[in-house]
Amino acid sequence: MGAYVPAGSRNKNRLYRTIGISTILITTLYCLLNGTSILSGQSTSLNSNKISRGTSFDFSPYINENDNSENYKFVRINENLNPNNKPYEKKVKATFVTLARNSDLHGLLEPIKAIEDRFNKNFHYDWVFLNDVEFDEDFKRITSSLISGNTKYGVIPKEHWSVPSWIDEEKATNARKKMEEDGVIYGGSLPYRHMCRFESGFFYRHPLLDEYEYYWRIEPDVKFHCDINYDIFQFMKDNNKKYGFTISIHEYEATIKTLWNTTLEFIDKNPEFLAKDNMLDFISDDDGTSYNNCHFWSNFEIASLDLWRGEAYSKYFDYLDKKGGFFYERWGDAPVHSIAAALFLNRDEIHHFYDVGYYHGPFHACPVDDQIRFENRCACSPNQDFTWQGFSCTTKYYNVNRLQKPHGWQKYAN
Ligand SMILES: Nc1nc2c(ncn2[C@@H]2O[C@H](COP(=O)(O)OP(=O)(O)O)[C@@H](O)[C@H]2O)c(=O)[nH]1
Ligand SMILES: *[C@@H]1O[C@H](CO)[C@@H](O)[C@H](O)[C@H]1NC(C)=O
Ligand SMILES: [Mg+2]
């Protein structure tokens, strides 16, 4: 990797052009490998097929997971960054969104400060806070003083944070007791279940989010390790990305025992919602018979609100909600969002933010590529990076999507 080149210099512009040309070449190669016609943009090799249990599956595996040849597409995000060094201009209707309790105030100060210093001081995006009770004056005064965009504080309607009428409360109570005895994390908690159900199906319906097109979810006690020197929401829009993640991981089976079967029932009844070039191969290792528990860790999400507002997801969520698994089991918003994104989006609409250094206990995402860390002033060690380790699903994500992994990634894969 070459020396660090300051932003806006002529060398950097030349670098962008070189990268641009290589990207075209690599994209062409990718399309050929992949059976995609460059002219029509239509995929000819992939599954437009139905998902249903058992025999009628014909999701042919998209790629052999063990194929590690490196001729894959790799679009450096930096080429989209402010190449003419213009002043930043906010053009996207987007907001940060944080679900929090009043007691989470202290845990939010560092994440807010990091987001402002490393990103939002250039853009002044809004920040929406949601809570199941009123935010107190301290919370509002202190958060609004740190944030450079408008801040908004909303209370969640009761029906989005309570046990719905069709749930058998005794069955739910027994299930919590049993999961607690079994030592399942948050297994005995009812508020945690309200949180998971709310983040799955209701946050995007809150009126304070109506005016926005994209959101970035932020939780208390997280860290951001690197500068983000470009408009990340504009990046989503320009590249037709609908869902962006930093960390992916395997879910605890005990929390989602019937989630996959319920999903298969739903898809059986509504096969039209499956995207043509969906990412089933990321979430299933046997063409859909079972879920491999891979999901995007939803404590970080940068995504399109329209993904959730659309018919496919609305009906999917309602179907899941009626089945009661948010209460009888402990379905998390992470697997629910991830399964939906993998099935209802085309794979190109999902993006791994490999340049956003991030921490949510107990895992770090720290770019292992030196150049990315230096250019973005990352304050983290790649030795702590979780991305390429075994319990992560991100290596699988790169393999099934034929993405080029960063230089030297194997060193961090143990
Ligand atoms: N208002 C409110 N927010 C909650 C509650 N429980 C969790 N949250 C928020 O929901 C998000 C996830 O909760 P967290 O405790 O971080 O769960 P974890 O990341 O899965 O360990 C965080 O943004 C919390 O602030 C609750 O009872 N009330
Ligand atoms: C899911 O469905 C399959 C096929 O009907 C069945 O064998 C399996 O036991 C089901 N799993 C659960 C957890 O219900
Ligand atoms: Mg958390």
Side-chain angles (χ1 to χ4, degrees), residues 273-325:
F273 292 140
L274 273 184
K276 194 164 176 219
D277 188 20
N278 63 66
M279 211 192 280
L280 180 75
D281 47 10
F282 175 65
I283 55 173
S284 177
D285 299 335
D286 49 19
D287 296 347
T289 307
S290 65
Y291 179 38
N292 62 19
N293 299 339
C294 279
H295 63 282
F296 308 120
W297 223 21
S298 61
N299 48 67
F300 174 106
E301 281 182 332
I302 300 177
S304 156
L305 287 157
D306 289 336
L307 167 59
W308 314 130
R309 289 167 180 151
E311 192 191 359
Y313 187 76
S314 306
K315 290 197 166 154
Y316 178 58
F317 173 76
D318 287 346
Y319 193 86
L320 297 183
D321 200 28
K322 288 276 153 33
K323 290 285 174 169

Side-chain angles (χ1 to χ4, degrees), residues 213-276:
E213 202 179 339
Y214 295 90
Y215 69 95
W216 181 341
R217 173 170 164 184
I218 310 266
E219 285 200 357
D221 303 310
V222 302
K223 295 187 206 301
F224 293 92
H225 295 312
C226 306
D227 286 355
I228 299 159
N229 294 310
Y230 60 102
D231 186 339
I232 210 158
F233 296 115
Q234 189 73 50
F235 167 84
M236 295 290 288
K237 206 173 158 90
D238 289 348
N239 294 282
N240 193 34
K241 300 295 183 189
K242 303 288 170 54
Y243 191 91
F245 71 99
T246 53
I247 291 174
S248 73
I249 191 170
H250 290 82
E251 182 58 292
Y252 301 109
E253 176 82 33
T255 64
I256 48 160
K257 282 185 180 150
T258 65
L259 176 60
W260 186 250
N261 276 5
T262 308
T263 300
L264 291 181
E265 278 170 33
F266 175 78
I267 296 292
D268 236 359
K269 294 183 175 138
N270 304 275
E272 71 278 13
F273 292 140
L274 273 184
K276 194 164 176 219

Side-chain angles (χ1 to χ4, degrees), residues 3-12:
Y4 172 69
V5 185
S9 77
R10 289 174 56 209
N11 282 345
K12 190 144 187 185

Side-chain angles (χ1 to χ4, degrees), residues 141-414:
R141 190 169 52 83
I142 294 171
T143 52
S144 63
S145 75
L146 289 173
I147 292 166
S148 64
N150 295 324
T151 48
K152 304 175 187 185
Y153 303 86
V155 178
I156 296 165
K158 195 75 205 155
E159 64 273 23
H160 293 175
W161 197 279
S162 47
V163 181
S165 57
W166 58 88
I167 296 296
D168 176 342
E169 300 237 16
E170 195 183 324
K171 184 174 163 189
T173 305
N174 290 337
R176 289 199 297 278
K177 211 177 288 165
K178 176 79 169 65
M179 283 177 85
E180 179 144 46
E181 283 162 15
D182 292 347
V184 177
I185 183 168
Y186 298 119
S189 169
L190 182 58
Y192 194 83
R193 285 174 170 77
H194 288 316
M195 184 278 285
C196 290
R197 178 169 176 258
F198 175 76
E199 292 285 22
S200 296
F202 298 117
F203 85 92
Y204 58 92
R205 306 190 212 188
H206 195 283
L208 286 180
L209 288 162
D210 282 352
E211 66 183 279
Y212 301 105
E213 202 179 339
Y214 295 90
Y215 69 95
W216 181 341
R217 173 170 164 184
I218 310 266
E219 285 200 357
D221 303 310
V222 302
K223 295 187 206 301
F224 293 92
H225 295 312
C226 306
D227 286 355
I228 299 159
N229 294 310
Y230 60 102
D231 186 339
I232 210 158
F233 296 115
Q234 189 73 50
F235 167 84
M236 295 290 288
K237 206 173 158 90
D238 289 348
N239 294 282
N240 193 34
K241 300 295 183 189
K242 303 288 170 54
Y243 191 91
F245 71 99
T246 53
I247 291 174
S248 73
I249 191 170
H250 290 82
E251 182 58 292
Y252 301 109
E253 176 82 33
T255 64
I256 48 160
K257 282 185 180 150
T258 65
L259 176 60
W260 186 250
N261 276 5
T262 308
T263 300
L264 291 181
E265 278 170 33
F266 175 78
I267 296 292
D268 236 359
K269 294 183 175 138
N270 304 275
E272 71 278 13
F273 292 140
L274 273 184
K276 194 164 176 219
D277 188 20
N278 63 66
M279 211 192 280
L280 180 75
D281 47 10
F282 175 65
I283 55 173
S284 177
D285 299 335
D286 49 19
D287 296 347
T289 307
S290 65
Y291 179 38
N292 62 19
N293 299 339
C294 279
H295 63 282
F296 308 120
W297 223 21
S298 61
N299 48 67
F300 174 106
E301 281 182 332
I302 300 177
S304 156
L305 287 157
D306 289 336
L307 167 59
W308 314 130
R309 289 167 180 151
E311 192 191 359
Y313 187 76
S314 306
K315 290 197 166 154
Y316 178 58
F317 173 76
D318 287 346
Y319 193 86
L320 297 183
D321 200 28
K322 288 276 153 33
K323 290 285 174 169
F326 291 106
F327 296 99
Y328 302 140
E329 296 177 16
R330 206 216 69 202
W331 293 351
D333 51 291
V336 170
H337 280 186
S338 302
I339 289 172
L343 296 181
F344 305 151
L345 293 176
N346 289 316
R347 61 182 71 235
D348 277 1
E349 296 175 301
I350 300 179
H351 180 70
H352 174 226
F353 280 105
Y354 56 81
D355 55 340
V356 175
Y358 179 66
Y359 170 80
H360 177 294
F363 298 117
H364 290 268
C366 181
V368 300
D369 181 325
D370 290 351
Q371 195 184 359
I372 290 174
R373 284 204 315 287
F374 297 152
E375 282 176 358
N376 300 301
R377 303 171 64 246
C378 298
C380 59
S381 163
N383 293 320
Q384 294 178 308
D385 178 56
F386 175 69
T387 311
W388 310 104
Q389 293 180 9
F391 197 54
S392 164
C393 291
T394 303
T395 306
K396 175 185 286 294
Y397 174 85
Y398 273 65
N399 287 341
V400 300
N401 294 308
R402 298 169 164 271
L403 295 164
Q404 187 185 343
K405 302 181 194 78
H407 184 71
W409 69 276
Q410 291 98 334
K411 242 191 337 189
Y412 304 97
N414 45 43

Side-chain angles (χ1 to χ4, degrees), residues 10-26:
R10 289 174 56 209
N11 282 345
K12 190 144 187 185
N13 284 336
R14 196 158 65 220
L15 182 65
Y16 289 134
R17 272 199 300 278
T18 314
I19 290 167
I21 292 162
S22 339
T23 306
I24 292 166
L25 291 174
I26 292 168

